[in-house]
C-alpha cells in the first residue's frame, strides 16, 4: 500500500523507457483521472521490456484504492513483475508512476498479443464520502518477435555507365539489441572494382544507432552496347546480445548501360561524347581523357599568331 500526494518531480522518473520502439496509451477516466501507459510495441523471444505507468489526478476530488491488475495468464510465456500495482490514495493534483518489468520466454508464441489490464479506483465525493468502485479494462498490443531486426539500407545510383565512378552508401541499424563484432562486406560483381574498403569492422553497434559506410564503384573502361543489371551483395555478420553468431544480407541490382552523348557524373564532371570535362578545372580548360589533350591550349596556339599580326599592321 502506498499513499502518494502531489509530487510532480516523479513524472520524469517513471515515464522513460529504454526501448525507442515504444508506444504510449492515454486514458482519460472518470473524475479527471488521466493514465499514460508507455509500452514496447515489440519484444524479442528471450528478452525483457518495461511498461511505465503514470497516473495523474487532475480532478478536484481525492481518489483511493487505485489498482492495475495484469492478466498475464492470457499470454503464455509472458512474465510481469509486479503483477499488481496499487496506490492507496491520490489527492487533487497528485501523480504516481511505476515501472513494470516484462520478460518473454524462448517458448512464447510469436505474433500479435494483447496484454489486458484491469483498472479500478474509488472516487471520494467532496473529499469525504467514498463512492462505489469504478472499473475499466485496458488492452495493450504487443508484438512478440522470433529474432531481433538488423536492417540494411543501401543507396546507389539507378544506373551506371562505363569508365566512371559512382557512390554506394550502406547503412546498418539494429532495432532491438546491441550487436558486437560487426563486419559489413560489399561483394561486387565481376569486373567491378572499388575505390575504398569493401570490408568494414565495428566492435559494437548500439541499438537504434545507425552506422553508415561509403565506397565508390569503378566501372570497366570498355563500353557496353546494351543495358543489363549487375548485382551487389551486402553481408552483415555480427554477435547478438546472447552470444550467437548471426548473418543478414541484401542484394541490390544496378543497371549498367551505354553512355549517352552527354552525361553528368556524381562529382560534377561531364562527359561530352568521348571527352570528359573535369569538375575541378577552370573555364576554358577542357581535358580530353582518351587523347590526353588540353584543347584550350591548342586553341590559344592557333589564335595567338593572328592576334600578333593584326597588332603589327595597325
Amino acid at each position: 500500500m502506498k499513499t502518494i500526494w502531489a509530487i510532480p518531480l516523479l513524472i520524469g522518473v517513471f515515464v522513460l523507457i529504454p526501448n525507442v520502439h515504444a508506444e504510449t496509451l492515454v486514458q482519460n477516466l472518470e473524475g479527471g483521472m488521466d493514465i499514460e501507459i508507455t509500452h514496447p510495441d515489440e519484444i524479442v523471444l528471450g528478452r525483457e521490456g518495461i511498461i511505465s505507468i503514470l497516473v495523474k489526478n487532475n480532478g478536484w476530488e481525492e481518489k483511493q484504492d487505485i489498482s492495475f491488475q495484469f492478466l498475464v495468464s492470457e499470454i503464455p510465456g509472458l512474465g510481469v513483475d509486479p503483477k499488481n500495482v496499487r496506490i492507496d490514495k491520490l489527492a487533487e493534483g497528485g501523480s504516481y508512476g511505476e515501472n513494470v518489468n516484462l520478460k518473454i520466454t524462448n517458448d512464447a508464441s510469436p505474433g500479435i498479443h494483447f496484454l489486458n489490464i484491469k483498472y479500478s479506483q474509488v472516487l471520494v465525493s467532496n473529499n469525504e464520502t467514498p463512492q462505489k468502485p469504478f472499473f475499466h479494462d485496458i488492452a495493450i498490443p504487443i508484438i512478440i518477435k522470433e529474432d531481433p531486426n538488423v536492417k540494411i539500407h543501401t543507396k546507389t545510383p539507378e544506373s551506371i555507365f562505363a569508365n566512371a565512378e559512382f557512390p554506394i552508401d550502406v547503412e546498418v541499424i539494429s532495432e532491438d539489441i546491441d550487436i558486437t563484432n560487426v563486419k559489413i562486406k560489399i561483394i561486387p560483381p565481376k569486373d567491378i572494382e572499388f575505390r575504398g574498403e569493401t570490408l568494414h569492422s565495428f566492435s559494437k553497434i548500439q541499438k537504434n544507432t545507425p552506422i553508415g559506410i561509403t565506397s565508390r564503384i569503378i566501372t570497366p573502361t570498355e563500353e557496353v552496347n546494351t543495358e543489363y543489371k549487375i548485382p551487389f551483395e551486402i553481408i552483415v555478420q555480427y554477435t547478438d546480445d546472447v552470444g550467437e553468431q548471426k548473418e543478414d544480407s541484401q542484394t541490390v541490382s544496378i543497371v549498367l548501360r551505354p553512355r549517352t552523348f552527354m552525361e553528368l557524373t556524381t562529382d560534377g564532371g561531364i562527359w561530352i561524347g568521348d571527352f570528359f570535362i573535369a569538375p575541378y578545372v577552370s573555364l576554358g580548360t577542357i581535358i580530353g581523357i582518351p587523347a590526353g589533350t588540353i584543347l584550350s591550349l591548342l586553341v590559344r596556339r592557333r589564335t595567338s599568331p593572328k592576334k600578333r599580326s593584326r597588332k603589327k599592321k595597325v
Side-chain angles (χ1 to χ4, degrees):
M1 292 284 186
K2 299 171 183 159
T3 302
I4 304 297
W5 303 94
I7 309 178
L9 292 178
L10 286 177
I11 295 177
V13 176
F14 291 99
V15 297
L16 296 179
I17 288 185
N19 193 334
V20 174
H21 290 275
E23 295 183 358
T24 299
L25 181 67
V26 178
Q27 301 278 298
N28 305 114
L29 303 181
E30 181 182 281
M33 290 292 283
D34 292 338
I35 299 172
E36 295 181 12
I37 301 177
T38 305
H39 62 90
D41 54 357
E42 297 178 342
I43 303 180
V44 182
L45 292 178
R47 272 70 169 187
E48 298 180 353
I50 293 176
I51 291 179
S52 288
I53 297 175
L54 178 63
V55 186
K56 301 176 185 178
N57 184 5
N58 293 321
W60 64 274
E61 294 172 303
E62 182 181 286
K63 312 299 184 305
Q64 65 184 27
D65 298 331
I66 304 164
S67 71
F68 295 82
Q69 181 183 3
F70 293 86
L71 306 179
V72 294
S73 61
E74 298 178 3
I75 307 179
L78 172 64
V80 177
D81 183 31
K83 295 180 180 179
N84 292 280
V85 175
R86 296 188 60 83
I87 309 165
D88 284 344
K89 189 179 296 185
L90 207 57
E92 174 190 354
S95 62
Y96 175 80
E98 185 166 333
N99 286 339
V100 176
N101 297 316
L102 300 178
K103 181 163 184 182
I104 303 295
T105 60
N106 289 321
D107 57 354
S109 176
I112 300 177
H113 300 269
F114 288 89
L115 175 58
N116 292 312
I117 304 173
K118 289 286 187 182
Y119 172 82
S120 65
Q121 68 178 38
V122 173
L123 183 146
V124 182
S125 179
N126 297 318
N127 292 325
E128 294 180 356
T129 308
Q131 302 298 299
K132 292 182 178 181
F134 166 81
F135 297 95
H136 182 69
D137 293 326
I138 302 173
I140 298 176
I142 295 178
I143 298 175
I144 299 179
K145 298 167 55 177
E146 189 170 355
D147 293 302
N149 273 348
V150 175
K151 289 190 175 179
I152 305 170
H153 301 282
T154 305
K155 182 180 179 182
T156 65
E158 292 184 2
S159 64
I160 58 179
F161 49 84
N163 200 18
E165 292 188 17
F166 300 89
I168 177 169
D169 300 318
V170 179
E171 182 184 83
V172 175
I173 181 169
S174 176
E175 295 184 339
D176 306 292
I177 59 172
D178 293 344
I179 56 178
T180 56
N181 304 320
V182 184
K183 290 182 174 60
I184 304 173
K185 299 179 182 179
I186 303 176
I187 302 177
K190 186 180 179 181
D191 299 330
I192 296 292
E193 298 181 358
F194 272 88
R195 187 181 304 282
E197 300 294 332
T198 57
L199 174 61
H200 299 260
S201 299
F202 301 89
S203 59
K204 182 178 182 179
I205 296 180
Q206 294 182 337
K207 179 176 65 176
N208 287 304
T209 303
I211 295 293
I213 62 173
T214 299
S215 294
R216 295 189 70 81
I217 302 168
I218 303 176
T219 55
T221 57
E222 184 178 350
E223 293 289 342
V224 296
N225 297 321
T226 184
E227 67 176 37
Y228 58 93
K229 292 183 178 180
I230 56 175
F232 291 79
E233 187 175 11
I234 316 299
I235 298 177
V236 179
Q237 299 172 327
Y238 59 92
T239 303
D240 65 13
D241 59 336
V242 293
E244 294 184 2
Q245 302 291 323
K246 295 291 182 67
E247 181 177 296
D248 290 278
S249 64
Q250 180 188 75
T251 300
V252 294
S253 295
I254 306 176
V255 175
L256 178 62
R257 59 173 174 79
R259 190 174 65 232
T260 60
F261 176 74
M262 183 177 292
E263 292 279 8
L264 294 174
T265 62
T266 57
D267 57 0
I270 182 172
W271 280 95
I272 302 178
D274 291 334
F275 295 97
F276 178 69
I277 304 175
Y280 48 81
V281 298
S282 60
L283 292 176
T285 304
I286 301 177
I287 302 174
I289 296 299
T293 305
I294 303 177
L295 299 180
S296 62
L297 293 179
L298 293 177
V299 173
R300 287 177 184 175
R301 287 177 182 176
R302 290 177 182 176
T303 57
S304 293
K306 294 181 180 179
K307 290 181 180 178
R308 290 196 190 100
S309 60
R310 287 177 182 173
K311 287 181 180 179
K312 287 180 180 181
K313 289 179 180 180
V314 174

